[in-house]
Amino acid sequence: MAKAIPSRSENYSEWYNELIKRADLAENSAVRGCMVIKPYGFSIWEKMQRALDDMFKETGHSNAYFPLFIPKSFLSKEASHVEGFAKECAVVTHYRLKNAEDGSGVIVDPEAKLEEELIVRPTSETVIWSSYKNWIQSYRDLPLLINQWANVVRWEMRTRIFLRTSEFLWQEGHTAHSTAKEAMEETTQMLNVYATFAEEWMAMPVIRGTKTANERFAGADDTLCIEAMMQDGKALQAGTSHFLGQNFAKAFDVKFLTKDNQQDYVWGTSWGVSTRLMGALIMAHSDDDGLVLPPKLAPIQVVIIPIFRNDEQLAQLSEKINPLIKELKKVGISVKYDTSDANKPGWKFAEYELRGVPVRLAMGMRDFENNTVEIARRDLKTKETISADGLVAHIQNLLEEIQVNIYNKAAQFRQEHTFRVDTYEAFKEQIEKGGFLMAHWDGTSETEEAIKEETKATIRCIPLDAELEEGTCIYSGKPSKQRVVFARAY
């Protein structure tokens, strides 16, 4: 079954689309540009949510929920913000339908026009800051650390499941602080939370960096990001954290009484990750046989397939397997015991390989008699027969080993596809082959735009840990103090 997926080298885009479909993760919906996330795909997203939500709460944040609809006047209050999102906004103009008099169906009732049009939230800064005005009066109300899990709508003309859809799921954190220093510390802290999640849960190495002014979030003073490399050498922005300065506080008149009894505007941040992470997970690790899931995010970590000819044999095997399942669940390992006889074992092996289940156990009557089990790992596609004694500890260690191996493989791939380039000719040649290009840039928007126009490559970030290095810009020849990361991106 999995063999029918196009190979990555043959057609990477088709491989991605087909893999999502065959692994039963998601599908296009009847609503143009929107997706249906199917149960198996949603269970991966739920594991992501759970891990991130725990991390947010450990850093002092609380969840809340704000309206889906934003009055149009709210967006007008922050000029650069509205400019950044204006072309992507869905607008509600009426509040009622009625049957057409000619019987042709339902029409919008022209009498039911809204006094003020409502925007379906593309992001929630404006509606949240309008609430913060009522919540914050004094320094004692700060910091205010709020997160929201929600859906957002950004009208897209060219869509792709998980990577770019008109509606997607995400979380958005919105915090308010009494000083710029505190707000900047929060911005950095949440970037580090995202990086830790990407590396330790998704097994996906990321570069932490600052966005250029051209790539910065609309309405922010500064944007920090994590950038990951996919297997086709393209970059994917996996999370952003924004230092908003006092921009939204001024737009919505959110002031507080300082310890010195002075009125001042609060300082803000916002930060978010979305179901794009699902696309990143697929493209960072999977292969031509299907998904490769890091154990920490796999809905099923271990699948057990009994090989039997009749009910009597299945009953014997189950006597041995059921206590094992109990022990595995006791240590927090998710297990599926597939006793169905609708498909042969070979079909099941291919199916669970396609779905990215990290560990597969198979037991037949010979294994039963010899007290052995066949154990296969998805990441290396290896299998061995081992004793059934001490199996739980073995599987625990194996899952940890697989998690580390998947990360190391992705890190090695990134290292092998990261290049230092010193001339524009070398840059143009290498960008066609993909990868991250570390190159000098003169710091101007003009040069950045020219390179983007000519090569479709953007500055993904200015790495936070990069060493200062005197050089000359590959495009203009002007002086440069450090290299930045260029790549084509999703």
Side-chain angles (χ1 to χ4, degrees), residues 415-442:
Q415 188 180 345
E416 289 169 0
H417 294 83
T418 300
F419 309 96
R420 286 164 71 94
V421 293
D422 294 312
T423 68
Y424 194 46
E425 286 309 310
F427 180 96
K428 286 190 286 186
E429 189 180 322
Q430 185 56 52
I431 202 69
E432 294 302 323
K433 300 172 190 171
F436 285 175
L437 276 55
M438 309 300 294
H440 280 285
W441 165 60
D442 63 17

Side-chain angles (χ1 to χ4, degrees), residues 340-486:
S340 70
D341 58 4
N343 295 292
K344 291 184 176 178
W347 186 93
K348 292 180 184 180
F349 291 174
E351 178 68 8
Y352 291 111
E353 187 174 81
L354 171 65
R355 285 175 162 242
V357 176
V359 173
R360 183 188 77 226
L361 302 182
M363 184 182 275
M365 291 312 293
R366 187 180 292 173
D367 295 302
F368 178 79
E369 286 155 13
N370 296 335
N371 192 39
T372 58
V373 63
E374 182 187 86
I375 187 163
R377 52 189 283 181
R378 176 65 183 88
D379 60 327
L380 298 179
K381 288 190 260 193
T382 56
K383 60 184 179 181
E384 58 177 334
T385 300
I386 62 168
S387 167
D389 297 331
L391 199 51
V392 173
H394 182 82
I395 289 169
Q396 279 181 298
N397 292 334
L398 190 59
L399 289 170
E400 286 174 20
E401 194 182 309
I402 291 169
Q403 184 81 24
V404 170
N405 181 58
I406 292 174
Y407 176 87
N408 288 343
K409 188 179 176 186
Q412 186 182 343
F413 181 87
R414 188 183 71 181
Q415 188 180 345
E416 289 169 0
H417 294 83
T418 300
F419 309 96
R420 286 164 71 94
V421 293
D422 294 312
T423 68
Y424 194 46
E425 286 309 310
F427 180 96
K428 286 190 286 186
E429 189 180 322
Q430 185 56 52
I431 202 69
E432 294 302 323
K433 300 172 190 171
F436 285 175
L437 276 55
M438 309 300 294
H440 280 285
W441 165 60
D442 63 17
T444 68
S445 292
E446 292 76 19
T447 294
E448 185 180 1
E449 281 298 325
I451 292 172
K452 182 180 177 180
E453 184 68 31
E454 292 174 25
T455 68
K456 297 189 176 72
T458 53
I459 297 174
R460 300 317 304 157
C461 67
I462 303 162
L464 294 176
D465 61 356
E467 292 176 14
L468 294 179
E469 175 196 321
E470 296 293 331
T472 55
C473 173
I474 54 163
Y475 189 84
S476 67
K478 290 176 184 173
S480 159
K481 284 192 164 49
Q482 72 176 99
R483 292 177 188 266
V484 298
V485 183
F486 282 93

Side-chain angles (χ1 to χ4, degrees), residues 225-424:
C225 64
I226 51 171
E227 295 285 332
M229 184 187 289
M230 302 297 99
Q231 289 180 76
D232 59 350
K234 282 188 180 177
L236 187 140
Q237 179 182 286
T240 50
S241 186
H242 315 291
F243 171 65
L244 303 176
Q246 294 175 311
N247 299 338
F248 285 90
K250 287 176 178 174
F252 288 88
D253 196 33
V254 184
K255 291 179 178 175
F256 73 107
L257 196 64
T258 68
K259 285 182 181 177
D260 302 327
N261 227 25
Q262 303 292 315
Q263 285 285 323
D264 194 10
Y265 290 106
V266 299
W267 299 81
T269 81
S270 67
W271 28 273
V273 294
S274 75
T275 37
R276 270 173 75 85
L277 291 181
M278 292 285 292
L281 189 71
I282 296 161
M283 290 198 292
H285 306 310
S286 301
D287 60 25
D288 295 346
D289 293 318
L291 291 176
V292 175
L293 295 176
K296 284 187 179 182
L297 293 177
I300 304 163
Q301 293 171 313
V302 177
V303 63
I304 303 174
I305 299 172
I307 299 167
F308 58 95
R309 286 195 180 143
N310 51 49
D311 290 348
E312 190 187 334
Q313 287 187 352
L314 176 60
Q316 281 182 284
L317 291 168
S318 294
E319 266 181 47
K320 193 145 198 153
I321 290 167
N322 285 331
L324 171 64
I325 293 169
K326 207 170 178 182
E327 289 300 308
L328 287 170
K329 286 183 174 176
K330 202 184 282 182
V331 295
I333 294 170
S334 59
V335 193
K336 178 168 181 179
Y337 183 30
D338 190 340
T339 59
S340 70
D341 58 4
N343 295 292
K344 291 184 176 178
W347 186 93
K348 292 180 184 180
F349 291 174
E351 178 68 8
Y352 291 111
E353 187 174 81
L354 171 65
R355 285 175 162 242
V357 176
V359 173
R360 183 188 77 226
L361 302 182
M363 184 182 275
M365 291 312 293
R366 187 180 292 173
D367 295 302
F368 178 79
E369 286 155 13
N370 296 335
N371 192 39
T372 58
V373 63
E374 182 187 86
I375 187 163
R377 52 189 283 181
R378 176 65 183 88
D379 60 327
L380 298 179
K381 288 190 260 193
T382 56
K383 60 184 179 181
E384 58 177 334
T385 300
I386 62 168
S387 167
D389 297 331
L391 199 51
V392 173
H394 182 82
I395 289 169
Q396 279 181 298
N397 292 334
L398 190 59
L399 289 170
E400 286 174 20
E401 194 182 309
I402 291 169
Q403 184 81 24
V404 170
N405 181 58
I406 292 174
Y407 176 87
N408 288 343
K409 188 179 176 186
Q412 186 182 343
F413 181 87
R414 188 183 71 181
Q415 188 180 345
E416 289 169 0
H417 294 83
T418 300
F419 309 96
R420 286 164 71 94
V421 293
D422 294 312
T423 68
Y424 194 46

Side-chain angles (χ1 to χ4, degrees), residues 84-275:
F85 286 101
K87 292 177 182 175
E88 300 174 331
C89 288
V91 185
V92 180
T93 56
H94 291 73
Y95 62 85
R96 190 168 60 221
L97 301 172
K98 68 173 188 176
N99 286 316
E101 288 174 12
D102 62 5
S104 59
V106 176
I107 61 169
V108 173
D109 185 347
E111 300 295 313
K113 198 170 191 315
L114 290 170
E115 279 184 38
E116 181 178 4
E117 290 158 345
L118 297 171
I119 311 302
V120 183
R121 71 172 157 234
T123 180
S124 298
E125 277 79 4
T126 55
V127 75
I128 287 176
W129 280 89
S130 76
S131 294
Y132 284 4
K133 180 176 169 56
N134 302 322
W135 297 4
I136 298 167
Q137 273 81 45
S138 151
Y139 68 88
R140 292 187 181 88
D141 301 320
L142 299 170
L144 184 57
L145 308 174
I146 301 291
N147 175 63
Q148 165 173 256
W149 290 96
N151 60 337
V152 286
V153 171
R154 295 179 187 175
W155 215 256
E156 295 283 358
M157 300 314 290
R158 298 176 66 190
T159 58
R160 202 154 178 214
I161 290 180
F162 293 131
L163 299 176
R164 199 169 286 279
T165 48
S166 293
E167 180 197 19
F168 55 91
L169 305 180
W170 79 345
Q171 60 71 216
E172 48 181 323
H174 297 270
T175 70
H177 305 265
S178 54
T179 67
K181 181 174 176 286
E182 260 186 46
M184 198 61 224
E185 283 169 359
E186 166 78 0
T187 308
T188 305
Q189 172 183 249
M190 298 321 292
L191 181 82
N192 290 331
V193 163
Y194 289 154
T196 299
F197 173 75
E199 296 185 336
E200 294 183 9
W201 287 79
M202 295 179 68
M204 183 176 74
V206 292
I207 296 175
R208 307 172 202 212
T210 307
K211 286 290 188 190
T212 63
N214 278 16
E215 297 284 327
R216 192 178 292 154
F217 176 73
D221 283 358
D222 207 358
T223 290
L224 304 182
C225 64
I226 51 171
E227 295 285 332
M229 184 187 289
M230 302 297 99
Q231 289 180 76
D232 59 350
K234 282 188 180 177
L236 187 140
Q237 179 182 286
T240 50
S241 186
H242 315 291
F243 171 65
L244 303 176
Q246 294 175 311
N247 299 338
F248 285 90
K250 287 176 178 174
F252 288 88
D253 196 33
V254 184
K255 291 179 178 175
F256 73 107
L257 196 64
T258 68
K259 285 182 181 177
D260 302 327
N261 227 25
Q262 303 292 315
Q263 285 285 323
D264 194 10
Y265 290 106
V266 299
W267 299 81
T269 81
S270 67
W271 28 273
V273 294
S274 75
T275 37

